[in-house]
Amino acid sequence: MGGYEPLYHALYELSSAAVIEEITKSGLRGRGGGGYPTGLKWATVAKMPGKQKYVICNADEGDPGAFMDRSVLESDPHRVLEGMAIAGYAIGANHGFIYVRAEYPLAIQRLTKAIQQAKKYGLLGSQIFESGFDFKIDIRIGAGAFVCGEETALIHSIEGGRGNPRPRPPYPAEVGLWGCPTLINNVETYANITPIIRKGAEWYSSIGTAGSKGTKVFALTGKVQHTGLVEVPMGTTLRQIVEEMGGGVAEGRVKAVQTGGPSGGCIPAVFFDTPVDYESLQQLGTMMGSGGMIVMDDATSMVEIAQFYMDFCRGESCGKCVPCRAGTVQLHEMLTKIVNHQATETDIEQMEALCQMVKEMSLCGLGQSAPNPVLSTLRYFKEEYLARLRPEVETFATAKD
Amino acid sequence: MPALSPQAPPDRLTQHPSSPQDSATCDRHYKTLDTTLKRNHYQPDALIEVLHKAQESFGYLEDEVLLYIARQLKQPLSRVYGVASFYHLFSLKPSGIHNCVVCLGTACYVKGARQILDRLELELAIKVGETTSDGQISLLSARCLGACGLAPAAVFDGEVGGKLTAEDALARLQALTIND
């Protein structure tokens, strides 16, 4: 309904500054995980000098257990294109890129078709709606590297290189694609733009909590009865999501929910009455992430989950910085030792210390957040780690006797 | 590797002893590659797309193909090889006739995907990432297919199978090879 009307409205009735003002007032925050205020990001790129700027849509949805972006790209690609075009108008860019992971062939196919359709009807390309605004969008396809979800790595990948991140600052808002100021937002963020422009910032900010506005889509998976996507207002409690919408677990009880993918952590069932927003999840030692929610029951071992995520980070580390490249390998070995009942309490202490080091010294978000699943399971499920320690030395002594 | 001029005709490239395909098929593949290169105006930033196309045509990225791409894009081979080896989806060695990709995303993992993979490894007598000695089946794993609602999931020659047990997976694999 009313597709591309918000773009028309923006082009003819709003100035670039007014669009940014509207997005800022709406309180929309980045849906890719970080939660950075979208309006502020747009304003920063808009202020940058230089004629050439770029808009990038990060559709490299790599968090295992998350498929919100895939659903938007496959079912309503025009909404994302329109959001990008509005962003281009607001910041003064006329070229956009969508970076889609190659694992989503249907999404790529539908995006390609949507871009063709939009071009045909003059909704993308030169002189959109016969205004003076030109905007074209190209698709770039990933090749299976999780680290490319990190913005500087993603830029390198669009440029056709290895997806290695680089230190920030300078942020892409200043030095981005081919050295030009670049705006990078997630698929879901762009999908939120058109409703804001159509219905107004006031309407949007009436939904959600004080610090987190609007709705959020979660991918509810794991040991839950009804798996699938749920879109809820920010501030909905985990209990409502997991037990009412997800129908709880089939048998036994829910033990924890994992959010934020390999960068996030596990929330034990005792905290299920917490309203979900950016801050409350951070206080619980996890993060919103892109929106994957994996429900675990008593049969799931938290130590093994931590080991699983560390294996993931170890494999996906790009290898550029030592704390991440070597640290994740060491952490994985330590976790394997614990899983195999060969560790002592000293090993756990050492592992915690190494976690802190990797967290503080890694170059990019992948390494900085890789220890999170370990730290969060240690925080809430330490007894599971202790139960896996090496049997007491006395036992060996008795066995020898 | 033979010394090549930048405009080396494709058929010269195929005469390398390690080349697995006959020269007619190979010519066709190079033609497809050339079309992609041309469409991207031989721009170095199209490297990933060109590699995708090359892998799609040739099945995998052999040294000769990488060298050819490097020369066409006027890029050092080190850069082309660096990119080809960085991304998981690019394969530098030939793969089997059929492939089976087991999803090891968190949702699948929680629902027992690791056990399915272990069983397949055992039955096929290969490790994940390897191809059976008869060149029939390549066993691969994926970080997440985004089919979490179907967990545990696997892809058999491009077809997604969901809510699998180890027996289902084995049956699907058998069906693949029988249909030949």
Side-chain angles (χ1 to χ4, degrees), chain B residues 17-39:
Chain B
S18 75
S19 187
Q21 285 143 333
D22 62 78
S23 97
T25 337
C26 225
D27 275 356
R28 209 174 56 240
H29 292 163
Y30 275 105
K31 250 188 197 133
T32 323
L33 194 54
D34 283 338
T35 317
T36 309
L37 284 162
K38 209 170 173 183
R39 204 177 50 237

Side-chain angles (χ1 to χ4, degrees), chain A residues 94-106:
Chain A
N94 54 25
H95 196 173
F97 287 96
I98 303 187
Y99 186 87
V100 196
R101 63 196 298 241
E103 288 88 339
Y104 288 174
L106 188 61

Side-chain angles (χ1 to χ4, degrees), chain A residues 145-148 150 152-153 156 162-166 312-322 324-326 328 363-364 366-367, chain B residues 82 85-88:
Chain A
F146 175 70
V147 71
C148 286
E150 200 277 341
T152 59
H156 289 152
R162 288 165 69 93
N164 283 332
R166 62 158 175 80
F312 181 94
C313 292
R314 180 183 67 160
E316 293 299 327
S317 171
C318 80
K320 184 171 172 177
C321 74
V322 180
C324 174
R325 182 180 67 216
T328 50
L363 171 65
C364 80
L366 193 152
Chain B
S85 58
F86 182 86
Y87 294 94
H88 300 303

Side-chain angles (χ1 to χ4, degrees), chain B:
Chain B
M1 206 170 285
L4 296 167
S5 68
Q7 276 80 38
D11 57 316
R12 265 192 64 195
L13 291 162
T14 62
Q15 285 161 7
H16 194 269
S18 75
S19 187
Q21 285 143 333
D22 62 78
S23 97
T25 337
C26 225
D27 275 356
R28 209 174 56 240
H29 292 163
Y30 275 105
K31 250 188 197 133
T32 323
L33 194 54
D34 283 338
T35 317
T36 309
L37 284 162
K38 209 170 173 183
R39 204 177 50 237
N40 287 288
H41 310 290
Y42 298 87
Q43 287 298 310
D45 60 274
L47 177 56
I48 294 177
E49 197 182 329
V50 172
L51 289 173
H52 268 303
K53 197 45 129 187
Q55 175 151 311
E56 201 180 289
S57 314
F58 291 89
Y60 72 105
L61 300 170
E62 52 184 324
D63 292 349
E64 286 77 7
V65 175
L66 292 179
L67 189 65
Y68 182 74
I69 292 172
R71 291 199 187 272
Q72 293 297 318
L73 295 178
K74 298 196 170 59
Q75 292 289 306
L77 181 60
S78 60
R79 177 165 180 261
V80 175
Y81 183 78
V83 170
S85 58
F86 182 86
Y87 294 94
H88 300 303
L89 291 184
F90 295 136
S91 170
L92 301 175
K93 47 181 203 269
S95 54
I97 300 167
H98 303 286
N99 67 63
C100 166
V101 186
V102 180
C103 180
L104 285 184
T106 325
C108 292
Y109 177 82
V110 167
K111 291 208 165 174
R114 183 73 238 180
Q115 285 75 15
I116 294 179
L117 191 60
D118 287 346
R119 179 75 187 279
L120 293 182
E121 283 183 340
L122 189 75
E123 298 281 339
L124 296 171
I126 49 171
K127 288 279 166 206
V128 63
E130 293 176 355
T131 304
T132 48
S133 53
D134 57 1
Q136 280 287 321
I137 298 172
S138 288
L139 184 62
L140 305 159
S141 70
R143 291 302 190 191
C144 182
L145 299 167
C148 314
L150 298 173
V155 184
F156 303 89
D157 278 355
E159 240 177 73
V160 180
K163 307 201 168 170
L164 294 169
T165 62
E167 277 68 34
D168 295 339
L170 280 170
R172 293 285 294 260
L173 273 185
Q174 251 160 17
L176 285 185
T177 39
I178 285 170
N179 288 342
D180 280 345

Side-chain angles (χ1 to χ4, degrees), chain A residues 218 220 235-246 257-259 267-269 271-276 280-281 284 286 293 295:
Chain A
F218 291 102
L220 197 56
T236 308
T237 65
L238 281 167
R239 191 175 305 283
Q240 281 172 298
I241 298 174
V242 174
E243 286 175 4
E244 284 176 30
M245 299 170 198
V257 165
Q258 207 280 347
T259 69
I267 306 167
F271 292 113
F272 273 13
D273 289 315
T274 315
V276 176
S280 65
L281 289 182
L284 289 174
T286 175
M293 267 193 189
V295 179

